[in-house]
């Protein structure tokens, strides 16, 4: 299964964006995952709602990026929120 990513602004919350991922985040597509997240975190956006319910695994490269991203967004008054996770 390929990685599919979809994102949209959160209605009524201009500083937040939701990204829904579908498929595994492995070494081959981790760069694309990271690039998409970086592309939506621009301007006033400081909160990332991440829906990973349909992501069976995330490689260490992407997890390390998410950990760094949490600290970066926290400094801007935001955060990363996992809104749904894979069972």
């Amino acid at each position: 299964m390929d990685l599919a990513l979809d994102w949209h602004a959160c209605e009524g919350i201009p500083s937040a964006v939701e990204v829904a991922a579908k498929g595994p985040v492995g070494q081959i597509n981790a760069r694309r995952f990271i690039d998409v997240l970086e592309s939506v975190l621009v301007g006033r956006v400081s909160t990332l709602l991440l829906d990973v319910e349909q992501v069976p695994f995330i490689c260490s490269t992407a997890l390390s990026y998410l950990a760094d991203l949490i600290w970066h967004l926290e400094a801007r008054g935001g955060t990363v929120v996992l809104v749904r996770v894979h069972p």
Side-chain angles (χ1 to χ4, degrees):
M1 176 190 298
D2 288 336
L3 176 64
L5 297 159
D6 186 31
W7 59 92
H8 63 275
C10 294
E11 189 175 327
I13 309 172
S15 64
V17 65
E18 181 175 3
V19 175
K22 180 189 272 187
V25 181
Q27 292 298 333
I28 293 173
N29 56 16
R31 183 76 253 167
R32 187 163 58 95
F33 176 77
I34 292 168
D35 288 347
V36 166
L37 295 185
E38 289 182 352
S39 74
V40 300
L41 295 170
V42 295
R44 296 176 40 196
V45 176
S46 61
T47 299
L48 171 65
L49 305 173
L50 189 56
D51 178 347
V52 290
E53 182 178 35
Q54 296 184 40
V55 176
F57 71 88
I58 299 177
C59 70
S60 59
T61 301
L63 281 176
S64 177
Y65 169 78
L66 287 174
D68 289 342
L69 183 61
I70 291 167
W71 295 110
H72 174 74
L73 292 178
E74 184 178 47
R76 293 171 50 188
T79 191
V80 173
V81 178
L82 298 177
V83 293
R84 295 191 295 176
V85 296
H86 189 276

